[in-house]
Amino acid sequence: MSDLLYTREEEALRAAVRDLLTDRCDPVDVIARTESAAPHDPALWKALAQDIGLAGLLVPEELDGQGATHREAAVVLEELGRAVAPVPYLTSAVVATEALLECGADDLLRQLASATVTAALAVALHVPPGGTHHTVRAVDGRLTGQVTGVADASAADVLLVPADDGGLYAVEATAATVTPQVSLDATRPVATVVLDGAPGRRLGDAEPAVRRALRAGAGLLASEQLGLADGALTDTVRYLKERTQFNRPVGGFQALKHRLAQLWLEVAGLRAAARNAADALATGEDTDVAVAVAQAYAAPAAVHAAEEALQLHGGIGMTWEHPVHLRLKRAKADALALGTAGAHREALAGLVDLPAP
């Protein structure tokens, strides 16, 4: 069995990403972006993707990528989740990249690795690995149809579109109509993609590519949820040490200590599940089971951590100016992304041959 502890290289990567996010991803700026028509932060994405090279983390070195594993990508997502960074890393550098790796689309992979192009898989964000997804009609290389709930489509240069002929097509985003939808988590906006005879280039078979992409996305989403939950707990503990009532720190009250201790246990369990999923994706050992376990546990733990952070921050936590609502919205949205916890529990039951009662 692999060692799930963080390596020295992974901790160095974490430090670099956290330092950049501390300097470039201030919560006040993130809140301001959620109130604008452009929630993504192109400058931050450029710094992460090009300056540090995170866009090509999963791309092989022979295709100008970093040749890293899912363990390193998981560390990046932990920090992006902690900061609720409004960048399309999960959708482009993980989900779309995994689909292209399955298809062997070397030219697009090189573009993604260099961060000259950002891609999005035109599958609704709520679809779990192996789940039914919408396809568009393909006739003579031209695509017609509509897909709703596509995450980060507004930031994509290329859309990877599954078609009814079984193919996965690359479509220039300028050839599609991308209409924003109302999203609970404005830092990861969703949109409706409409194609009306748009020209597409067939990359390969859609079914294995979409399944691989969504499985990797679900497995690494747990690391984003881990970062979110751990950040919420850390900030809450810090606040309760500083906030005083009846002339003593609020964190000294026994009832609050119990709530924090329970949260710590849940975050520790989430860390184990998320690390196991990332390692399984990297090694290919029991991957489906590890991803299902991680997602069955991650959503309730992350949502609970964000809800407790909101409550334990008291009145200030209810204000728009405080960033705690960013984590709560991301946690709630992530609970539906790439399959609900219930959907993953059902998948896990089938994988381990455990019949339903």
Side-chain angles (χ1 to χ4, degrees), residues 288-290 292-293 296 343-354:
D288 290 336
V289 171
V293 168
H344 285 281
R345 282 194 293 270
E346 290 183 10
L348 180 61
L351 289 169
V352 300
D353 195 23
L354 181 66

Side-chain angles (χ1 to χ4, degrees), residues 266-289:
E266 292 179 16
V267 171
L270 175 51
R271 177 172 287 104
R275 290 296 293 169
N276 185 52
D279 186 72
L281 286 165
T283 61
E285 298 179 4
D286 294 325
T287 306
D288 290 336
V289 171

Side-chain angles (χ1 to χ4, degrees), residues 230-263:
D230 189 53
L233 175 59
T234 301
D235 288 353
T236 303
V237 170
R238 182 186 303 116
Y239 175 76
L240 293 182
K241 286 181 177 179
E242 299 170 350
R243 175 79 167 88
T244 60
Q245 193 171 36
F246 304 117
N247 205 31
R248 60 179 291 191
V250 173
F253 291 102
Q254 192 71 10
L256 299 190
K257 287 182 179 181
H258 281 289
R259 291 171 70 171
L260 293 174
Q262 179 61 37
L263 275 185

Side-chain angles (χ1 to χ4, degrees), residues 148-291:
T148 60
V150 180
D152 292 333
S154 58
D157 302 299
V158 175
L159 299 170
L160 308 180
V161 186
D164 60 359
D165 65 351
L168 184 70
Y169 289 81
V171 177
E172 295 293 330
T174 53
T177 301
V178 179
T179 305
Q181 296 177 249
V182 176
S183 177
L184 174 63
D185 176 20
T187 63
R188 180 173 287 146
V190 296
T192 298
V193 175
V194 178
L195 304 169
D196 186 9
R201 175 166 66 94
R202 182 171 177 138
L203 303 173
D205 294 336
E207 194 276 330
V210 171
R211 177 172 176 79
R212 173 175 173 172
L214 297 184
R215 185 178 68 172
L220 294 183
L221 177 65
S223 291
E224 175 180 289
Q225 291 164 302
L226 167 61
L228 189 154
D230 189 53
L233 175 59
T234 301
D235 288 353
T236 303
V237 170
R238 182 186 303 116
Y239 175 76
L240 293 182
K241 286 181 177 179
E242 299 170 350
R243 175 79 167 88
T244 60
Q245 193 171 36
F246 304 117
N247 205 31
R248 60 179 291 191
V250 173
F253 291 102
Q254 192 71 10
L256 299 190
K257 287 182 179 181
H258 281 289
R259 291 171 70 171
L260 293 174
Q262 179 61 37
L263 275 185
W264 185 90
L265 289 172
E266 292 179 16
V267 171
L270 175 51
R271 177 172 287 104
R275 290 296 293 169
N276 185 52
D279 186 72
L281 286 165
T283 61
E285 298 179 4
D286 294 325
T287 306
D288 290 336
V289 171
V291 169

Side-chain angles (χ1 to χ4, degrees), residues 129-151:
T132 303
H133 57 85
H134 189 74
T135 59
V136 303
R137 184 161 52 90
V139 179
D140 298 328
R142 290 191 171 271
L143 307 179
T144 302
Q146 174 178 297
V147 184
T148 60
V150 180

Side-chain angles (χ1 to χ4, degrees), residues 7-17 75:
T7 65
R8 183 177 302 175
E9 291 76 15
E10 289 166 355
E11 290 293 4
L13 175 61
R14 179 196 306 282
V17 175
V75 170

